Amino acid sequence: MVTANPLRNASPPRSLHIALWVLQSALGVALIAAGAWKLSLPFDQATAMFPWAADVPALYTVTSILDIAGGLGVILPSLTRVAPRTTVFAALGVVLLMLSAVVFYLLRGEPSETVPNLVLASAGGIVAWGRWRGAPIRAQLPVPTKWTSPLPDAAPPAEMRLYQLPTGTYRTRAALAVAGGAVTEQRAFAATAVLIQHPKGDVLIDAGFGAGAEAHIDALPSFRRAPHELADTASTQLSAAGYDRKRLLGVLLTHSHWDHVSGLDSLDVPIWMTAAERKYAAQSKSDPVFETVSRGHEIEEYPFDGPSYLGFPSSYDFYGDGSVVIVPAAGHTTGSVIIFVTVPSGQRYAFIGDLTWQLDGITDRLEKPLMMRMLADSDAKQVRQDMERVMALQDHLHVVPAHDMRGYQGIPLLKPSTVDAR
Ligand SMILES: [Zn+2]
């Protein structure tokens, strides 16, 4: 019977982890290099060096390809943390391949040829054991220490309300959304604005898709485009509900990426953002949408001049009553923020923007896939730290990743009857 040892699994010895990485990389690179070299040899040279290749040429080609496959299998799943357990099977495959070669050489009466194979088989065995038992690579982030201190004070006025304004969705694959996600699984990404009604003035969190969303998508480089379905814009939904625009103080951005700001094209209100995000947007090369839609808007910069908040180093209390508190989370972009909202019922929300794209990022402790961390996040380490902070808070609040429709469940839609007539 195999019983998991959670303590050991949670924090494998660092030295073993590093030693395994060195061995694993060396083994992988050696196999890939050997396989590629063998395949690149002209056949007469190959047979001169490996006399058996003349007897069984197909075996020569097949084993060279298996060398390369084994080398990739030993390195890639661990490196990408996509199905990292595959490393164990790849390493066992290498052991099997090398032992077969040993037997083959012995049968041919060439025992001296078996040395490299025995060395590689041993390395494969150590890697397989190490990544199985000693220091397995986890696709998941470690379990963070739960938040146990009292929650910060919040005095949301009784009239405060929260509404969701879904403006459409775009489709992507789970494999591109969370580490270990399936290539075959489709995910619909929400583009939803959230309206906070407050006696001191209302604010939207992000703006969703705008009237010019198609043009905005066309302006993106092709790798950022995805199949999408557009719904009513936030502006249209506000009008349909008979909403009084004079109440709207502006749009509070989680960050400036196109799918969060597109709707600014039809909202003539100030944009609330940090100086850092303004700078990020100005320097963005692959996303020109903010530049286009922010023209003519007043920009209200706010400082993180408040105390540390729920594990984050500083904060900005938007209304001064603790109901809407913004904290820096400068990992997805260099000026990203998280917006904590407490409503009169006492329910707390964390609008985390694109810290994770999907809720399983937080509930299952899954980072974005490696490639997306590299392409889409400014500072993957900061993202990880902020994910850990949010994961620690899960028991106390409702986490809303900007693009997960599940996150918005329970937040009512804006309908004529839900806009109070004050
Ligand atoms: Zn986004």
Side-chain angles (χ1 to χ4, degrees), residues 30 56 70 90 95-96 100 103 110 133-134 136 158 196 215 220 238 270 280 322-323 332 355 362 366 381:
V56 260
V95 173
L96 207 65
S100 311
V103 172
E110 300 165 359
R133 299 300 291 168
I196 302 171
L220 297 170
L238 291 175
Y280 173 87
S323 63
H332 180 56
L355 181 72
I362 297 297
L366 299 169
K381 250 190 175 160

Side-chain angles (χ1 to χ4, degrees), residues 205-206 252-256 260 333 335-337 339 351-354 402:
I205 298 178
D206 290 344
L252 182 53
L253 297 182
T254 59
H255 62 292
S256 60
H260 302 256
T333 64
S336 292
V337 301
I339 302 164
F351 292 94
I352 64 170
D354 286 6

Side-chain angles (χ1 to χ4, degrees), residues 14 124 146 153 189 208 216 232 261 270 281 315 330 337 352 356 361 418:
R14 196 157 172 75
K146 286 185 179 183
D153 288 337
F189 270 34
H216 298 158
D232 285 341
V261 304
S315 62
V337 301
I352 64 170
T356 62
T418 53

Side-chain angles (χ1 to χ4, degrees), residues 170 255 257 259-260 332 354 357 403:
Y170 57 98
H255 62 292
H257 283 161
D259 46 336
H260 302 256
H332 180 56
D354 286 6
W357 284 320
H403 297 307

Side-chain angles (χ1 to χ4, degrees), residues 64-118:
S64 303
I65 292 169
L66 285 177
D67 285 344
I68 296 174
L72 291 173
V74 163
I75 293 178
L76 284 186
S78 293
L79 194 65
T80 58
R81 293 211 241 171
V82 175
R85 284 255 146 172
T86 312
T87 306
V88 175
F89 299 106
L92 286 176
V94 170
V95 173
L96 207 65
L97 181 67
M98 293 306 143
L99 292 183
S100 311
V102 168
V103 172
F104 177 76
Y105 280 125
L106 290 179
L107 289 176
R108 287 179 61 89
E110 300 165 359
S112 62
E113 299 292 322
T114 62
V115 175
N117 301 102
L118 285 171

Side-chain angles (χ1 to χ4, degrees), residues 126-161:
I126 295 168
V127 169
W129 170 82
R131 289 312 183 198
W132 177 46
R133 299 300 291 168
I137 298 220
R138 308 253 131 196
Q140 291 179 311
L141 294 176
V143 181
T145 314
K146 286 185 179 183
W147 181 268
T148 50
S149 312
L151 298 177
D153 288 337
E159 303 91 328
M160 185 179 166
R161 296 282 180 273

Side-chain angles (χ1 to χ4, degrees), residues 162-250:
L162 205 58
Y163 298 106
Q164 58 160 317
L165 289 72
T167 67
T169 54
Y170 57 98
R171 268 171 289 146
T172 188
R173 307 237 158 229
L176 296 175
V178 285
V183 183
T184 48
E185 187 191 340
Q186 290 258 17
R187 295 264 175 123
F189 270 34
T192 297
V194 168
L195 177 68
I196 302 171
Q197 285 198 321
H198 190 287
K200 288 188 178 169
D202 300 351
V203 74
L204 282 168
I205 298 178
D206 290 344
F209 292 148
E214 292 291 357
H216 298 158
I217 292 166
D218 283 344
L220 297 170
S222 57
F223 74 90
R224 296 188 71 146
R225 290 181 217 146
H228 52 274
E229 288 86 37
L230 303 181
D232 285 341
T233 63
S235 175
T236 305
Q237 293 180 52
L238 291 175
S239 298
Y243 179 82
D244 175 9
R245 303 254 174 153
K246 289 200 286 290
R247 296 176 54 145
L248 201 53
L249 297 175

